[in-house]
Amino acid sequence: MFFFWAKMPAVRAAMVAHPEAEWIWWVDSDAAFTDMDFKLPLEKYKDHNFVVYGWPKLIYEKKSWTGLNAGVFLIRNCQWSMDLIEAWAKMGPQSTEYDKWGQILQSTFKDKNFPQSDDQSGLSYLLLKEKDKWGDKIYLESEYYFQGYWVDIVGQLNNITDKYLGIEKKMPSLRRRHAEKVSERYGKLWEEYLIKDKWRRPFITHFTGCEPCSGDHNPIYSWETCYNAMQKALNFADNQVLRKYGFVHKDLLDSSSVSPLPFDFPSNSSV
């Protein structure tokens, strides 16, 4: 099972090998964590077995294969999930009906412009055609960036940093320098302000189309654009860790240098 289908045997093997794990979390290799304080709201998903970023309207009304993104998902370690993987994987390249499934998926989703059967279209198909069987246990998450498209995110990173700094300037308790050991507690202090303003850092930034490992990136993006965007996202996340030690990357495009911060930054200081 090659390319995007390779996750199927890997996830199933992890489920079988770790029966003690309630959840298995798949994250594509071209995705980066960009909110180092956020914790998955697992209680929110207590009645579901599968969580993926997506929008019901795009799947059920628009019949779009991009109505969800299967590159990041949570799957509960249970028999229902095993059954889902089996149904999903039947559309994959190990199946004798692989070519047939490519035709079915392309005819179902009119915006799908390539003939191969892929995992994302396959999951969308199961939701669309077998909603009664799978839909109630699949949560389409869009209330936060469970995974976000990098093109929509990277240009906003400096603005997001400024918003966080603006809150810290007003709240000494949030900007107090603290050890990594107590970071979880400080992360919880932020929730009051982030929920009130209904925004936060993107949890996962997904570099869909950049293909950093193969280099076979989508021609609508230049390699330089992708590379610079990855640097910005990784340094944006790195700054959240460095702050605990009193340092920061001044420029998100400069990974090689860091600068010290005043102890009470950003009270009356700028970098």
Side-chain angles (χ1 to χ4, degrees):
M1 299 188 77
F2 49 79
F3 297 131
F4 23 73
W5 289 104
K7 68 187 70 171
M8 297 295 162
V11 169
R12 192 183 189 286
M15 293 168 70
V16 172
H18 294 280
E20 78 284 0
E22 181 178 358
W23 290 96
I24 301 295
W25 191 5
W26 176 269
V27 181
D28 273 359
S29 60
D30 61 349
F33 292 91
T34 43
D35 187 343
M36 308 310 287
D37 293 323
F38 186 72
K39 293 189 69 175
L40 285 168
L42 295 180
E43 180 63 22
K44 180 180 180 180
Y45 310 132
K46 61 184 176 62
D47 296 324
H48 297 83
N49 294 332
F50 193 91
V51 183
V52 65
Y53 195 63
W55 304 267
K57 185 175 180 179
L58 286 180
I59 294 174
Y60 298 118
E61 296 180 24
K62 301 293 185 181
K63 295 184 179 179
S64 171
W65 79 286
T66 60
L68 57 83
N69 187 297
V72 178
F73 61 79
L74 276 170
I75 185 167
R76 193 184 297 276
N77 198 355
C78 64
Q79 186 59 51
W80 181 96
S81 298
M82 290 288 190
D83 295 341
L84 174 67
I85 287 178
E86 183 175 355
W88 194 3
K90 285 180 180 178
M91 306 177 197
Q94 89 294 348
S95 170
T96 56
E97 297 186 325
Y98 178 55
D99 292 337
K100 177 184 175 182
W101 272 112
Q103 296 170 7
I104 293 173
L105 295 177
Q106 192 170 32
S107 64
T108 302
F109 303 105
K110 302 303 182 183
D111 60 344
K112 179 176 166 62
N113 56 12
F114 59 95
Q116 291 83 12
S117 173
D118 68 284
D119 65 320
Q120 186 164 297
S121 298
L123 182 59
S124 298
Y125 182 89
L126 291 176
L127 277 171
L128 182 63
K129 299 296 186 179
E130 300 181 20
K131 184 180 179 181
D132 291 343
K133 185 173 184 179
W134 310 110
D136 289 344
K137 291 295 184 179
I138 295 179
Y139 194 103
L140 294 172
E141 179 63 84
S142 60
E143 293 182 356
Y144 64 94
Y145 277 125
F146 183 73
Q147 71 86 48
Y149 182 36
W150 65 277
V151 174
D152 296 334
I153 290 174
V154 171
Q156 302 299 318
L157 294 181
N158 287 327
N159 292 336
I160 293 171
T161 298
D162 290 341
K163 286 182 179 179
Y164 272 73
L165 291 178
I167 294 175
E168 285 182 303
K169 285 182 179 180
K170 300 174 184 177
M171 301 301 300
S173 61
L174 295 179
R175 67 175 181 260
R176 180 179 177 83
R177 191 174 295 179
H178 56 275
E180 189 172 6
K181 185 175 182 179
V182 295
S183 290
E184 185 174 341
R185 180 168 65 85
Y186 274 85
K188 290 179 181 178
L189 293 178
W190 272 97
E191 290 303 313
E192 173 187 347
Y193 305 94
L194 300 177
I195 292 174
K196 180 172 61 178
D197 290 343
K198 295 183 179 179
W199 61 267
R200 64 177 313 124
R201 301 176 184 120
F203 180 38
I204 293 180
T205 302
H206 195 177
F207 290 91
T208 305
C210 281
E211 299 292 343
C213 296
S214 69
D216 187 21
H217 58 274
N218 191 319
I220 68 173
Y221 317 120
S222 68
W223 175 247
E224 183 180 27
T225 299
C226 283
Y227 179 76
N228 288 342
M230 290 178 201
Q231 275 206 95
K232 285 184 176 181
L234 291 172
N235 286 329
F236 175 79
D238 198 30
N239 273 347
Q240 297 165 46
V241 179
L242 288 173
R243 275 289 300 275
K244 298 175 179 61
Y245 303 97
F247 294 94
V248 70
H249 295 287
K250 284 185 178 181
D251 183 352
L252 294 182
L253 282 174
D254 182 6
S255 303
S256 62
S257 61
V258 295
S259 300
L261 293 172
F263 190 83
D264 200 30
F265 177 83
S267 59
N268 297 306
S269 307
S270 61
V271 174

